[in-house]
Amino acid sequence: MKVCVLAGDGIGPEIVAEAVRVLEALRTDGLKIELEPALLGGCAVDAAGSAYPEATQKLAREADAVLLGAVGGPQWDNNPRPLRPERGLLAIRKDLNLFANLRPAILYPELANASTLKPEVVSGLDILIVRELTGDIYFGEPRGVENREVDGRSQRVGWNTMIYSESEIRRIGKVAFEAARKRNRRVCSVDKMNVLETTQLWRDVMIELSKDYPDVELSHMLVDNAAMQLVKAPKQFDVMVTGNMFGDILSDEASMLTGSIGMLPSASLDASNKGLYEPSHGSAPDIAGKGVANPLATILSAAMMLRYSFGNEAAAQRVESAVKKVLALGLRTGDIWEEGCKRVGTREMGDAVLAAL
Ligand code: IPM
Ligand code: MG
């Protein structure tokens, strides 16, 4: 199996290095895996003049999976839109047709105090957000900003297009229903059908699709209410499925219920389970290069890679158990540290996971 490794910007190289060490350790144990580094994001803009350069495109297309750190940083904030690091992320998602973004939000019992919510509200929390990733207002045309005559004067006008086709909705819906079958068999579809036609279609298609999954309970929620319910009673959810933009917002909200975004992995899959795996958090430029970032979300992303792209459930569980073990031993990076625990840096945390493996 070939893995394209994109360390990216900020803390990306530090956290990816630890995940790579974990994969290499499994390799000496018989896992057949080749790791090929390439550039994505701001570092690629600097080195190759593109956030998703051709050399990276070639490697990423050939690979069976992609492991990504994070992209972005203040030094590129004023770049023109095509040369922004995020553009690399959006481009690789679209190029590899990674339409299904899986974002689990799990509360580890050892980290119950990290949440800003009351323990009884979040204890045992285990939600999976299934976010559509290659459509919606993120990619819809037409889009732009231009001067137009409005209210009797020429002024700047900006517009984007929120658009979904039936087939796009159906394929992400299937991913959600299939995922629910391996969990608690409940799907909540999130839309804004009281206002937006495109999400009325979303709801209609989900209802049609649910006929193929009589064993899964489908419910619907308007996105504003879903945002509220996530903080009020998050444990009511099992799988949530929604479009690209609502999913962007709700997945950040869900991740913070756990209080430890540094722990949460994600997978972005195509129709044949080729995937891009990355931590749910960003590039944290403020702590980059200091050796203090939490590598566990990236290590857990590598576990998701073993599970979804390589079908190696045993190896995935081994990595996940190793992570649980270091938490049980009381090791914590700064983001999840609390009184009575041992504060460790990125490398030390990686060492501990390797030892637990
Ligand atoms: C995410 C990020 C990206 C998105 C940005 C960086 C383009 O927020 O992965 O959630 O909006 O999809
Ligand atoms: Mg986001």
Side-chain angles (χ1 to χ4, degrees):
M1 291 293 188
K2 212 168 171 183
V3 179
C4 174
V5 180
L6 305 172
D9 310 316
I11 58 171
E14 298 158 63
I15 54 179
V16 164
E18 300 313 312
V20 162
R21 288 209 296 153
V22 166
L23 290 173
E24 280 170 346
L26 293 171
R27 184 159 61 188
T28 58
D29 255 20
L31 186 76
K32 291 201 169 47
I33 187 167
E34 250 178 73
L35 303 163
E36 298 257 14
L39 298 172
L40 186 85
C43 60
V45 169
D46 290 347
S50 158
Y52 183 41
E54 264 169 42
T56 306
Q57 293 174 26
K58 186 166 179 291
L59 264 179
R61 287 174 195 157
E62 283 166 11
D64 301 295
V66 178
L67 180 66
L68 170 67
V71 299
Q75 62 269 53
W76 301 288
D77 274 354
N78 296 320
N79 279 18
R81 209 156 275 279
L83 291 180
R84 290 184 63 105
E86 297 84 358
R87 196 43 92 80
L89 192 55
L90 296 172
I92 194 172
R93 287 173 180 169
K94 192 73 177 175
D95 184 39
L96 302 182
N97 219 352
L98 306 172
F99 67 90
N101 185 212
L102 310 184
R103 298 193 164 179
I106 294 170
L107 189 91
Y108 289 87
E110 292 88 355
L111 304 180
N113 289 330
S115 179
T116 51
L117 291 167
K118 294 196 188 91
E120 62 267 29
V121 177
V122 289
S123 71
L125 184 79
D126 181 353
I127 312 178
L128 177 67
I129 296 200
V130 177
R131 168 190 176 193
E132 200 289 331
L133 203 59
T134 52
D136 204 351
I137 195 165
Y138 269 56
F139 293 95
E141 298 283 349
R143 60 195 298 155
V145 180
E146 71 179 23
N147 280 307
R148 282 188 192 171
E149 192 76 15
V150 182
D151 290 339
R153 66 185 183 96
S154 171
Q155 52 178 299
R156 285 168 301 166
V157 174
W159 68 99
N160 288 88
T161 304
M162 189 173 212
I163 180 166
Y164 268 121
S165 68
E166 201 178 335
S167 56
E168 284 176 311
I169 301 168
R170 197 174 300 273
R171 68 179 181 176
I172 192 69
K174 275 188 187 158
V175 171
F177 279 106
E178 295 289 343
R181 275 191 168 156
K182 296 185 186 143
R183 298 171 47 100
N184 292 319
R185 295 179 184 264
R186 285 184 292 119
V187 169
C188 178
S189 169
V190 177
D191 60 43
K192 188 70 185 176
M193 62 78 92
N194 52 346
V195 181
L196 304 170
E197 287 81 356
T198 170
T199 74
Q200 174 69 59
L201 177 68
W202 178 282
R203 187 174 291 209
D204 294 346
V205 172
M206 287 296 165
I207 291 169
E208 290 159 27
L209 185 62
S210 71
K211 308 218 157 66
D212 298 339
Y213 297 90
D215 52 323
V216 177
E217 178 195 313
L218 172 67
S219 61
H220 306 273
M221 211 177 262
L222 298 174
V223 63
D224 49 348
N225 186 30
M228 182 180 80
Q229 294 297 333
L230 263 177
V231 284
K232 188 177 170 208
K235 284 191 273 182
Q236 70 185 283
F237 298 110
D238 178 22
V239 174
M240 296 177 96
V241 63
T242 190
N244 203 345
M245 186 163 68
F246 296 161
D248 179 43
I249 300 164
L250 293 179
S251 63
D252 261 31
E253 189 188 3
S255 71
M256 271 326 282
L257 300 175
T258 71
S260 42
I261 195 168
M263 294 298 301
L264 299 175
S266 77
S268 306
L269 306 174
D270 76 0
S272 54
N273 283 341
K274 171 167 175 171
L276 180 148
Y277 300 84
E278 60 179 318
S280 283
H281 59 73
S283 59
D286 52 322
I287 56 163
K290 297 190 176 149
V292 298
N294 186 347
L296 294 179
T298 317
I299 291 171
L300 291 168
S301 300
M304 284 187 103
M305 170 190 294
L306 294 165
R307 171 171 296 120
Y308 291 108
S309 287
F310 300 164
N312 194 336
E313 179 64 29
Q317 282 187 19
R318 244 186 101 190
V319 174
E320 288 164 353
S321 306
V323 168
K324 285 189 189 127
K325 189 161 173 196
V326 299
L327 291 179
L329 288 172
L331 274 66
R332 304 280 188 275
T333 41
D335 57 314
I336 51 173
W337 183 82
E338 62 179 304
E339 211 56 50
C341 291
K342 180 168 188 245
R343 188 190 285 264
V344 297
T346 311
R347 177 47 50 114
E348 246 179 303
M349 188 59 111
D351 286 341
V353 173
L354 286 175
L357 260 186

